[in-house]
Amino acid sequence: MLIRVPRKNDPRPSEITPERIYRARREILKGTGAIAALSAVHASGLPSDWIESRGYAKHEPVPDLEITPSPYTTQYNNFYEFGTDKDDPMRYADEMTIDPWSVEVSGLVAKPGKFSLEDVLAGVDLEERIYRLRCVEAWSAVIPWVGFPVKKILDKYEPLGSAKYVKFTTHLNRDEMRGTRSFFSSIDFPYIEGLRLDEANHDLAIFAVGMYGDELLNQNGAPFRLVVPWKYGFKSIKSIVKIELMERQPPTTWNLSAPQEYGFYSNVNPEVDHPRWSQASERVLGSGLFARNQPTLMLNGYADQVASLYEGMNLRRN
Ligand SMILES: Nc1nc2c(c(=O)[nH]1)N[C@H]1C(S)=C(S)[C@@H](COP(=O)(O)O)O[C@H]1N2
Ligand SMILES: [Mo]
């Protein structure tokens, strides 16, 4: 069994990142003292090697899935709370305090409550999941997440029979999230997302606490985010502080902002174009200056596993 340890194989950021971006980033990190902090203690207060020290089940690499070098996926992000440019999250997300972190679980559950990051990590087995990520903007990446199925958390709080949907809410601190202070923002904060309960309970839907065998960086949604690989990336909500079980379909951020463009389901579907561009193919992040384009797969390549969730549903309309 071949197990890839991407961290060791990664090119150094200086080798593949435009010099300007890399330098700017170093300056920012130096200015905040983050370089020293990163190497000693993770911002969550856990030791910097806590993921490694716990050990986790590694999955075999999937044929045809080439892991995107981490500098791309940590320096080209969507996290509108920190700005709308792709490098805003990498520049500014470290202004967000993530220690201590707790998540509230409420709504239609028998045992509402709150958990801290440490609580949850003590109670679950971590796994590495190598998933495709397909953004609705027609770029894609392959990321080795570290996390565990969403169902493992939900079950602890005992969803009631009347619960049909799950709503997720991102942390909001306007002092520490400069994108939320803009008058011109195209979306409202806090960022909210939702899944049908059976989607959330599917084994492929995970909460991630790490990537590339390491802690999540703030720009990727530290310390606790959703990853739903068969849906467009905006469903994979970052830095979650609230989980609510509901009877009715919850509102979701992009659907509220542009309902004709972003539906509640938003399953990856190469046959249904975005009103303003084609979804038939995608630009592969990290494939160089002349970025490679590849065809987009139905349900992002996870149709065998998840198509049964949508039997009898009109996927075009949804
Ligand atoms: N809270 C929050 N979550 C978010 C977003 C955001 O702006 N705010 N952007 C989404 C979009 S559009 C994508 S493509 C993915 C990107 O995840 P990544 O930056 O870790 O690759 O995060 C999603 N989660
Ligand atoms: Mo996205």
Side-chain angles (χ1 to χ4, degrees), residues 192-315:
I192 49 178
E193 256 307 334
L195 295 173
R196 223 167 53 195
L197 183 56
D198 60 336
E199 297 179 313
N201 279 335
H202 192 284
D203 181 64
L204 285 182
I206 60 167
F207 285 126
V209 295
M211 60 200 283
Y212 301 93
D214 224 323
E215 295 77 32
L216 281 180
L217 297 177
N218 283 10
Q219 58 263 44
N220 295 104
F224 187 79
R225 73 171 292 176
L226 183 69
V227 181
V228 196
W230 70 93
K231 292 179 179 280
Y232 289 115
F234 66 84
K235 299 290 295 181
S236 292
I237 180 175
K238 297 177 170 181
S239 305
I240 296 168
V241 290
K242 210 190 228 182
I243 301 171
E244 290 166 271
L245 282 285
M246 310 178 66
E247 187 171 351
R248 286 170 198 284
Q249 182 177 304
T252 56
T253 292
W254 281 104
N255 182 249
L256 287 171
S257 140
Q260 347 61 260
E261 304 194 4
Y262 309 101
F264 176 80
Y265 284 93
S266 288
N267 293 318
V268 174
N269 188 340
E271 292 164 15
V272 179
D273 288 340
H274 186 278
R276 292 181 281 137
W277 57 83
S278 162
Q279 294 293 28
S281 68
E282 61 203 40
R283 182 170 60 87
V284 180
L285 277 197
S287 58
L289 215 50
F290 305 97
R292 184 157 51 86
N293 261 272
Q294 67 187 20
T296 290
L297 302 172
M298 181 58 84
L299 292 161
N300 207 21
Y302 302 98
D304 287 351
Q305 290 104 305
V306 301
S308 61
L309 289 170
Y310 308 107
E311 259 162 35
M313 256 178 74
N314 180 340
L315 287 178

Side-chain angles (χ1 to χ4, degrees), residues 141-181:
V142 174
I143 300 178
W145 302 103
V146 181
F148 49 87
V150 169
K151 179 174 167 53
K152 295 221 168 143
I153 296 267
L154 298 185
D155 284 354
K156 287 188 208 241
Y157 294 85
E158 301 181 12
L160 302 177
S162 52
K164 295 283 178 288
Y165 293 90
V166 194
K167 177 184 175 192
F168 305 93
T169 306
T170 293
H171 174 61
L172 176 59
N173 177 339
R174 293 190 194 271
D175 292 337
E176 297 180 352
M177 298 169 128
R178 57 177 74 207
T180 67
R181 303 197 291 262

